[in-house]
PDB file of all heavy atoms in Angstrom:
ATOM      1  N   ARG C 273      61.964 131.292  85.002  1.00 90.00           N
ATOM      2  CA  ARG C 273      63.152 131.789  84.236  1.00 90.00           C
ATOM      3  C   ARG C 273      63.890 130.584  83.625  1.00 90.00           C
ATOM      4  O   ARG C 273      64.258 129.678  84.284  1.00 90.00           O
ATOM      5  CB  ARG C 273      64.067 132.621  85.091  1.00 90.00           C
ATOM      6  CG  ARG C 273      65.365 132.971  84.482  1.00 90.00           C
ATOM      7  CD  ARG C 273      66.145 133.932  85.319  1.00 90.00           C
ATOM      8  NE  ARG C 273      65.512 135.270  85.407  1.00 90.00           N
ATOM      9  CZ  ARG C 273      65.950 136.262  86.119  1.00 90.00           C
ATOM     10  NH1 ARG C 273      67.118 136.133  86.731  1.00 90.00           N
ATOM     11  NH2 ARG C 273      65.269 137.416  86.148  1.00 90.00           N
ATOM     12  N   ASP C 297      55.931 109.593  86.868  1.00 76.00           N
ATOM     13  CA  ASP C 297      56.751 108.386  86.501  1.00 76.00           C
ATOM     14  C   ASP C 297      57.623 108.032  87.717  1.00 76.00           C
ATOM     15  O   ASP C 297      58.369 108.908  88.148  1.00 76.00           O
ATOM     16  CB  ASP C 297      57.493 108.576  85.237  1.00 76.00           C
ATOM     17  CG  ASP C 297      58.200 107.330  84.754  1.00 76.00           C
ATOM     18  OD1 ASP C 297      58.248 106.319  85.479  1.00 76.00           O
ATOM     19  OD2 ASP C 297      58.606 107.289  83.519  1.00 76.00           O
ATOM     20  N   LEU C 361      91.132 146.554  63.349  1.00 70.00           N
ATOM     21  CA  LEU C 361      92.446 146.516  62.628  1.00 70.00           C
ATOM     22  C   LEU C 361      92.243 145.977  61.277  1.00 70.00           C
ATOM     23  O   LEU C 361      92.850 146.574  60.317  1.00 70.00           O
ATOM     24  CB  LEU C 361      93.391 145.582  63.474  1.00 70.00           C
ATOM     25  CG  LEU C 361      94.784 145.443  62.882  1.00 70.00           C
ATOM     26  CD1 LEU C 361      95.496 146.861  62.838  1.00 70.00           C
ATOM     27  CD2 LEU C 361      95.636 144.543  63.683  1.00 70.00           C
ATOM     28  N   VAL C 425      59.429 100.070  26.958  1.00 92.00           N
ATOM     29  CA  VAL C 425      58.464  99.270  26.235  1.00 92.00           C
ATOM     30  C   VAL C 425      57.938 100.100  25.001  1.00 92.00           C
ATOM     31  O   VAL C 425      57.933 101.321  25.077  1.00 92.00           O
ATOM     32  CB  VAL C 425      57.239  98.831  27.091  1.00 92.00           C
ATOM     33  CG1 VAL C 425      57.703  97.916  28.266  1.00 92.00           C
ATOM     34  CG2 VAL C 425      56.567 100.072  27.735  1.00 92.00           C
ATOM     35  N   ASP C 451      25.976  76.564  23.614  1.00 85.00           N
ATOM     36  CA  ASP C 451      26.045  75.323  22.909  1.00 85.00           C
ATOM     37  C   ASP C 451      24.717  74.519  23.047  1.00 85.00           C
ATOM     38  O   ASP C 451      24.180  73.977  22.072  1.00 85.00           O
ATOM     39  CB  ASP C 451      27.219  74.477  23.366  1.00 85.00           C
ATOM     40  CG  ASP C 451      28.544  75.086  22.923  1.00 85.00           C
ATOM     41  OD1 ASP C 451      28.516  75.934  22.027  1.00 85.00           O
ATOM     42  OD2 ASP C 451      29.601  74.746  23.533  1.00 85.00           O
ATOM     43  N   GLU C 459      16.932  71.266  16.943  1.00 73.00           N
ATOM     44  CA  GLU C 459      15.955  70.152  17.086  1.00 73.00           C
ATOM     45  C   GLU C 459      14.508  70.698  16.876  1.00 73.00           C
ATOM     46  O   GLU C 459      13.701  70.052  16.275  1.00 73.00           O
ATOM     47  CB  GLU C 459      16.117  69.526  18.423  1.00 73.00           C
ATOM     48  CG  GLU C 459      17.437  68.759  18.618  1.00 73.00           C
ATOM     49  CD  GLU C 459      17.581  68.139  20.016  1.00 73.00           C
ATOM     50  OE1 GLU C 459      16.575  68.223  20.771  1.00 73.00           O
ATOM     51  OE2 GLU C 459      18.611  67.509  20.272  1.00 73.00           O
ATOM     52  N   ALA C 489      21.665  84.597  25.579  1.00 84.00           N
ATOM     53  CA  ALA C 489      22.895  84.013  26.011  1.00 84.00           C
ATOM     54  C   ALA C 489      24.097  84.478  25.279  1.00 84.00           C
ATOM     55  O   ALA C 489      25.186  84.684  25.812  1.00 84.00           O
ATOM     56  CB  ALA C 489      22.763  82.454  26.031  1.00 84.00           C
ATOM     57  N   GLU C 609      65.654 122.601  23.188  1.00 85.00           N
ATOM     58  CA  GLU C 609      66.324 121.439  22.488  1.00 85.00           C
ATOM     59  C   GLU C 609      65.655 120.179  23.076  1.00 85.00           C
ATOM     60  O   GLU C 609      65.205 120.165  24.187  1.00 85.00           O
ATOM     61  CB  GLU C 609      67.818 121.463  22.648  1.00 85.00           C
ATOM     62  CG  GLU C 609      68.364 121.435  24.080  1.00 85.00           C
ATOM     63  CD  GLU C 609      69.789 121.488  24.124  1.00 85.00           C
ATOM     64  OE1 GLU C 609      70.383 122.467  23.733  1.00 85.00           O
ATOM     65  OE2 GLU C 609      70.399 120.549  24.705  1.00 85.00           O
ATOM     66  N   ILE C 616      65.167 111.599  32.949  1.00 86.00           N
ATOM     67  CA  ILE C 616      63.948 111.804  33.779  1.00 86.00           C
ATOM     68  C   ILE C 616      64.327 111.548  35.206  1.00 86.00           C
ATOM     69  O   ILE C 616      64.917 110.547  35.595  1.00 86.00           O
ATOM     70  CB  ILE C 616      62.894 110.788  33.330  1.00 86.00           C
ATOM     71  CG1 ILE C 616      62.387 111.105  31.905  1.00 86.00           C
ATOM     72  CG2 ILE C 616      61.700 110.866  34.268  1.00 86.00           C
ATOM     73  CD1 ILE C 616      61.401 110.178  31.402  1.00 86.00           C
TER      74      ILE C 616
END
Side-chain angles (χ1 to χ4, degrees):
R273 172 170 294 179
D297 189 344
L361 179 61
V425 294
D451 291 342
E459 291 179 5
E609 60 182 61
I616 294 176

